[in-house]
Amino acid sequence: SLAMAAESKGDETPLPVDAAVKGATLFEDDALRYAVAVDGSEMAHKAFLETVKLMNEDDYIQVIHVADNSKAYLPYDLRPSSIQEAYETNCLTRFAPERYAVVKIRKEEGKTAREAICTYVNKVGFDYLVVGMVGRKGPKLDPTILGSTADYSLRAAHCSSIIVKKPTRGANKFVVGVDGSDRAHKSVAEIISMANDDDEIVILNVTDADGEAGLKREYTGPVLREKYSKLAASAGARCPVSFVQVEQPRGQGVAAVLTEYAFDNDATYLVVGADGVGAYLAGRHVFGSNSDRVVRLSRPSVIVTQDRSEKIDPKRE
């Protein structure tokens, strides 16, 4: 199994990147595969707990951490052996053995931990990479500045990203920003697949201050409402799904409207589709302007959905 293939022992034998590739497609088509990056920090543990809360009973989780033998000065609780032991215990008490693995990966000389994480995640193939907004260095003075791993994962991971900003209680409320595009449609479908019975999904469309005059019919409110209603029915949504339109005030960006609505309406997750992928594949490290601003401005945690087929450049593989 993938869990067995991913086993590693001790600080001196960090797992090579190739070790857990086998078995990456062992699970049911509708089972989601989560990778959670941890480093011993409090925020990373919150990211793990939020992932546990998101998971359905058939989903798979892999907790990954980077072994860096050059950091022998780290306190015991931040050393790879301690992190490995802690999450083996955390997972053992929550999941069947075939539904999890705790994986230690090697950081190559000259590479950063965040590069090692994304290389590994891209090689194995996951549906989601989950990271805390900040790492061991803690919160920034400017709350809109992401930690380096969170920021890098949005640009380099070939899967959807979940940026955990704070712990949640009770059922999840997902606010999904849509604009009628295919990517937005895929975002809604992803969240319908993820949501549990007691969760709630709000599909949010931001309209221009001048209304819908001049819009093509397929992008108008009534058509979008019908479109997403049919999607919820066909996808077998397990929880309530509603459609809401809000007007974009003059002088205010779409990202600000989305993040304000999510906060004001007690969302646990704000969901947006990635944009700017073409720029990334062209070799420019440009995350889409709207999704980038949403991630930075949002006070609830953020899910940035990514069509994996769009992110992978065959020339880079």
Side-chain angles (χ1 to χ4, degrees), residues 23 48 119 172 211 242-243 248 285 299:
F48 167 77
T119 297
N172 286 313
S242 59
F243 179 85
Q248 178 184 355
H285 285 264
R299 281 170 281 187

Side-chain angles (χ1 to χ4, degrees), residues 205 212 215-225 243 245:
N205 176 238
E212 297 185 335
L215 280 181
K216 293 181 178 179
R217 183 176 178 275
E218 60 263 34
Y219 297 113
T220 60
V223 174
L224 291 178
R225 184 186 300 273
F243 179 85
Q245 277 191 305

Side-chain angles (χ1 to χ4, degrees), residues 43-111:
M43 183 58 77
H45 189 61
K46 289 177 181 177
F48 167 77
L49 294 176
E50 288 303 300
T51 306
V52 172
K53 183 182 169 189
L54 284 170
M55 292 174 65
N56 287 297
E57 61 180 11
D58 292 330
D59 293 341
Y60 175 81
I61 184 173
Q62 200 170 105
V63 181
I64 56 177
H65 61 106
V66 176
D68 185 353
N69 291 332
S70 69
K71 294 186 176 181
Y73 56 83
L74 289 173
Y76 176 75
D77 60 329
L78 297 182
R79 292 179 184 176
S81 58
S82 177
I83 294 172
Q84 182 87 17
E85 181 180 356
Y87 283 100
E88 288 283 4
T89 301
N90 271 287
C91 289
L92 178 66
T93 57
R94 290 178 167 91
F95 307 111
E98 68 274 11
R99 292 296 166 188
Y100 78 90
V102 182
V103 177
K104 181 167 53 181
I105 57 176
R106 177 182 296 119
K107 184 179 79 68
E108 296 178 13
E109 187 175 351
K111 299 290 185 180

Side-chain angles (χ1 to χ4, degrees), residues 179-195:
D179 56 8
S181 65
D182 288 343
R183 185 170 294 144
H185 191 84
K186 291 175 182 176
S187 295
V188 175
E190 267 196 41
I191 299 307
I192 289 174
S193 174
M194 174 189 288

